[in-house]
Amino acid sequence: MAKNSGQAKFEACMVLSGVGDAIGYKNGAWEFCRSGERIHEQLQLLGGIENIKVDPQKWMISDDTVMHIATAEALISKWANHEELFHALAKQYQLCMKDMTGRAPGLTCRSYRPHPEAWSERWHVCIYNRYHWIEE
């Protein structure tokens, strides 16, 4: 695969986003920390960014990365049009909810229960939250 191909860039974005999110999440300890100074101090106690060992067994990814991976799984699945893509997204989002244990999914994420059969008529409508819809 060429170094500057779209696929290589996509893979790099996925990996860097996941690693960056895992570091920034730090098992939930830093997710809602508003003090960059405090995070940097704690990061130095861990040996600095260059010495962090992001072990998936000890340093979990966040709910955001779980959803990011689900979106990527849908994007790389076989689909030919928007309707099929939205069905793939709905399926992956349903599946990823099983991987939220120990994470901090927000209200919109937790309340998102897509029904693929309903998407066939409203594939162009995205759920914003349980009270609002965003129309294209």
Side-chain angles (χ1 to χ4, degrees), residues 118-136:
W119 287 59
S120 61
E121 294 178 20
R122 297 189 57 138
W123 62 264
H124 64 291
V125 178
C126 299
I127 296 173
Y128 173 71
N129 65 34
R130 63 185 169 157
Y131 304 110
H132 298 91
W133 292 80
I134 298 174
E135 299 279 347
E136 283 190 297

Side-chain angles (χ1 to χ4, degrees), residues 67-135:
M67 294 291 287
H68 188 69
I69 292 168
T71 301
E73 291 288 342
L75 289 173
I76 65 171
S77 68
K78 291 185 179 187
W79 52 274
N81 54 48
H82 287 108
E83 183 176 341
E84 290 177 12
L85 172 59
F86 273 62
H87 279 280
L89 285 164
K91 177 184 174 186
Q92 290 301 321
Y93 291 162
Q94 285 177 323
L95 291 172
C96 84
M97 290 300 139
K98 297 174 184 173
D99 198 22
M100 292 297 177
T101 305
R103 293 174 175 84
L107 179 60
T108 301
C109 183
R110 284 188 319 238
S111 65
Y112 181 68
R113 299 287 185 262
H115 300 283
E117 65 279 358
W119 287 59
S120 61
E121 294 178 20
R122 297 189 57 138
W123 62 264
H124 64 291
V125 178
C126 299
I127 296 173
Y128 173 71
N129 65 34
R130 63 185 169 157
Y131 304 110
H132 298 91
W133 292 80
I134 298 174
E135 299 279 347

